[in-house]
Amino acid sequence: MLNGDEAAFRELVATYRQYLFQTIYAIVRHTKDAEDISQDVWSRIFFSLPQYQMKGLKTWMTRIAVNRAIDFKRSANRRREEMTAEMEAPIQEGQTSGTHPFSSNGVEQEVLTKETTELVRRKLHQIPANYHEVLTAYYIHHQSYQDIASAHGVTVKTIESKLYRAKQWLRNNWKEEDFL
């Protein structure tokens, strides 16, 4: 098999395909991503076979699959954080200038804001109640931190913390593809 025997490799794939897929799926928790990563893993296994040292084939393949799945998950988390940072940058700028971040005059920004607002409204039923109120006040009703804090009888710092935790919850529970 190390010398490029394709029939032997096909047999290897047939034997371990489901096992490696399940291993990858356990890490990424998304069928399509697990399928894509599985294909990549099998390609890596095929091209790495000449370096294989005849010590625990299943363990060696599993290590390749797990490492690739973890790399994918880290990359996806980084992309999600970058997207969130891009969304938060205008929000921070809007707060320092005393205006709300969604008060742009651009037609494109207005359309994007309406689409985002509508999407968030549809998905709000998934959000825990303790985050629901503050997210609704800020993103739907476009209230400032100060207005929300006054309405709830808490400090601005409390509202900042709640919004931060709510955004963390969103990052962890909403998938990027839900918003594409």
Side-chain angles (χ1 to χ4, degrees):
M1 182 166 52
L2 296 180
N3 60 5
D5 182 352
E6 288 184 32
F9 185 72
R10 276 194 291 274
E11 187 175 321
L12 183 70
V13 171
T15 303
Y16 293 104
R17 174 186 294 147
Q18 190 61 31
Y19 167 76
L20 287 182
F21 173 81
Q22 289 173 336
T23 300
I24 293 165
Y25 182 82
I27 295 169
V28 299
R29 295 283 185 205
H30 190 265
T31 304
K32 177 82 171 93
D33 291 337
E35 290 169 355
D36 292 345
I37 296 167
S38 291
Q39 288 180 345
D40 181 51
V41 165
W42 283 111
S43 173
R44 288 172 189 240
I45 289 171
F46 181 79
F47 290 110
S48 298
L49 278 171
Q51 290 84 33
Y52 174 62
Q53 299 173 355
M54 301 296 187
K55 296 178 185 173
L57 179 64
K58 185 175 180 181
T59 303
W60 177 73
M61 292 188 312
T62 303
R63 189 169 58 239
I64 291 172
V66 167
N67 287 342
R68 182 62 190 104
I70 290 171
D71 289 346
F72 174 85
K73 189 118 173 156
R74 284 181 185 149
S75 175
N77 286 340
R78 238 179 278 125
R79 281 193 311 272
R80 192 174 299 123
E81 287 172 10
E82 288 169 3
M83 281 181 49
T84 304
E86 288 174 14
M87 290 172 59
E88 288 175 350
I91 292 170
Q92 297 301 326
E93 292 168 13
Q95 287 176 355
T96 57
S97 67
T99 62
H100 193 276
F102 296 115
S103 62
S104 171
N105 291 335
V107 174
E108 181 181 349
Q109 182 63 35
E110 189 175 326
V111 169
L112 287 173
T113 300
K114 285 181 182 178
E115 288 176 359
T116 302
T117 301
E118 185 55 37
L119 176 63
V120 171
R121 281 179 205 242
R122 287 194 310 264
K123 296 188 76 63
L124 275 176
H125 72 278
Q126 300 173 354
I127 299 171
N130 56 331
Y131 301 144
H132 188 278
E133 238 177 49
V134 71
L135 286 169
T136 302
Y138 187 75
Y139 288 106
I140 304 296
H141 300 296
H142 308 296
Q143 294 177 344
S144 70
Y145 284 11
Q146 183 61 51
D147 292 341
I148 300 168
S150 296
H152 293 279
V154 296
T155 66
V156 171
K157 209 63 163 151
T158 300
I159 297 303
E160 288 175 356
S161 294
K162 274 191 170 186
L163 272 172
Y164 176 79
R165 287 192 305 272
K167 286 185 239 179
Q168 289 296 108
W169 185 92
L170 294 174
R171 281 186 201 113
N172 293 330
N173 292 283
W174 285 1
K175 293 182 176 37
E176 182 178 342
E177 57 272 8
D178 293 344
F179 295 90
L180 298 178

